[in-house]
Amino acid sequence: MRTTLLLSSSLSLLLLAPLGCDQPADQEPTRIVAAGGDELVDLEGAAPGLEIVTDGEPRPDALIAAVKADPDTTLYFAQGEVEEDGRFLVDVTIIGRDGGFDYGGLLTSERCTPLELFLALTDDDEEDAPPALRRAHAWQVEATRPGDGALRDLTGVLPPPLAAFEDILHTDESTFTCLSWANFQSYMGTRFAGAPGRIELLDSAVGEETLYSPASVNNWWGKSQVDMVACNYNSSDNPAYHDSIEAEVCYVRGMGGELTTNCGHSFLDDGYYLRRIYGPVGYPRQYRVHVVPDSAAALQSYSGIVKRD
């Protein structure tokens, strides 16, 4: 059973602190849902918390909605930067654990919009979805699949609510993995497969590490859509085992002028990942993933940034 929860923006501050952008004056209170009904659910402690900041300052005003899709996976929908013409896209951040459905793949490989994914997860009708999601849908369709603006029904694609991590760890249901470097590389190789301008940068590290895209901090992507991941290697199959890394996934804009850095930040328990999928933009950006072991000095992590034009 997937349930629905409505929270005021002030209460949502206790759970997460989102993204760097301007917020429309008519935006409704943040919606926190656990997909499929309307029983109240407390998300605090149910998954690692997410904080989204711009230049070090929390931006809770940008959060549109969050969906607890299964026992170990939460999706956060946040408004992207408002451009001069008033348009914006919606960025989706996923915090989860190995096993379960590849929700992010619907946004990358299948070119679905955040609105379409949100509706499938919540069983909402379009008119009940947050206004920012509805507006951004039209603009993203125009950028990614012109002429194909009709809403795609994904309800038949998504699985029923999944079991917890320890129940499916050793089954064939797992589609995203922090279990091994080889599996991580294989999975990231499927992101934006065959897309124009595709560039994949991956990293495996023990200790603190930063991965940049482009690889040189002096270079910029002129236009980009990006899928980026920080992953805490699964050190133990024992549910009682815990370790922690601090992870950030960021973009930087402002080439040739004042720079603005926008990051999604989380502390990831053993086997968890922080994944952020940015909508397509047509202005220069850089991207980076930064990981720092938290509970011990020599923890293994994987990072990946896959970009397409």
Side-chain angles (χ1 to χ4, degrees):
M1 176 83 163
R2 291 171 173 174
T3 57
T4 302
L5 169 65
L6 300 182
L7 292 183
S8 69
S9 294
S10 59
L11 181 55
S12 72
L13 287 174
L14 300 175
L15 304 179
L16 3 121
L19 188 111
C21 56
D22 299 319
Q23 181 178 10
D26 62 343
Q27 182 160 325
E28 295 180 344
T30 300
R31 294 198 55 192
I32 309 294
V33 304
D38 40 17
E39 175 186 348
L40 297 185
V41 173
D42 178 11
L43 290 184
E44 191 168 13
L50 173 70
E51 181 179 46
I52 307 181
V53 299
T54 294
D55 296 332
E57 294 297 323
R59 292 298 305 268
D61 54 327
L63 184 69
I64 299 168
V67 177
K68 184 170 172 56
D70 61 53
D72 296 305
T73 309
T74 304
L75 292 83
Y76 303 84
F77 297 78
Q79 181 188 300
E81 295 172 281
V82 179
E83 300 303 320
E84 291 183 358
D85 61 3
R87 295 188 175 199
F88 58 86
L89 298 176
V90 170
D91 303 321
V92 178
T93 304
I94 306 172
I95 297 180
R97 202 172 188 183
D98 185 39
F101 187 75
D102 181 13
Y103 301 99
L106 295 172
L107 302 174
T108 56
S109 301
E110 301 301 324
R111 308 291 272 171
C112 296
T113 68
L115 173 64
E116 291 165 339
L117 180 56
F118 177 86
L119 294 178
L121 286 166
T122 61
D123 295 334
D124 273 7
D125 294 324
E126 180 183 359
E127 60 268 23
D128 297 325
L133 277 174
R134 300 201 304 269
R135 289 197 296 272
H137 168 80
W139 298 325
Q140 184 152 342
V141 163
E142 182 179 316
T144 59
R145 52 180 220 238
D148 184 17
L151 278 173
R152 296 179 179 177
D153 183 0
L154 303 180
T155 53
V157 176
L158 298 183
L162 297 170
F165 167 77
E166 55 266 23
D167 297 327
I168 60 176
L169 178 61
H170 299 295
T171 74
D172 292 333
E173 294 181 50
S174 177
T175 56
F176 188 94
T177 183
C178 300
L179 295 176
S180 77
W181 175 233
N183 287 346
F184 183 81
Q185 293 177 89
S186 176
Y187 176 83
M188 295 303 290
T190 68
R191 304 299 83 191
F192 299 130
R198 183 185 186 277
I199 300 291
E200 174 186 307
L201 295 167
L202 307 179
D203 191 24
S204 173
V206 175
E208 184 173 358
E209 185 76 348
T210 304
L211 176 68
Y212 296 95
S213 179
S216 169
V217 296
N218 295 317
N219 295 332
W220 297 74
W221 297 123
K223 59 180 180 178
S224 57
Q225 182 177 8
V226 162
D227 185 357
M228 55 197 311
V229 178
C231 191
N232 185 356
Y233 168 67
N234 189 73
S235 301
S236 173
D237 295 345
N238 182 352
Y241 173 83
H242 299 280
D243 62 32
S244 175
I245 67 168
E246 184 177 4
E248 282 188 331
V249 291
C250 309
Y251 73 78
V252 181
R253 70 170 300 177
M255 182 181 71
E258 184 177 355
L259 300 182
T260 296
T261 301
N262 180 279
C263 297
H265 173 271
S266 185
F267 287 88
L268 302 177
D269 198 1
D270 186 56
Y272 274 91
Y273 63 86
L274 169 65
R275 180 179 184 185
R276 203 164 188 201
I277 300 166
Y278 288 107
V281 296
Y283 56 82
R285 270 187 179 180
Q286 299 171 332
Y287 300 88
R288 71 169 185 257
V289 178
H290 183 65
V291 294
V292 182
D294 176 56
S295 60
L299 294 177
Q300 177 81 54
S301 65
Y302 308 140
S303 302
I305 306 174
V306 183
K307 166 261 178 191
R308 63 160 292 160
D309 288 345

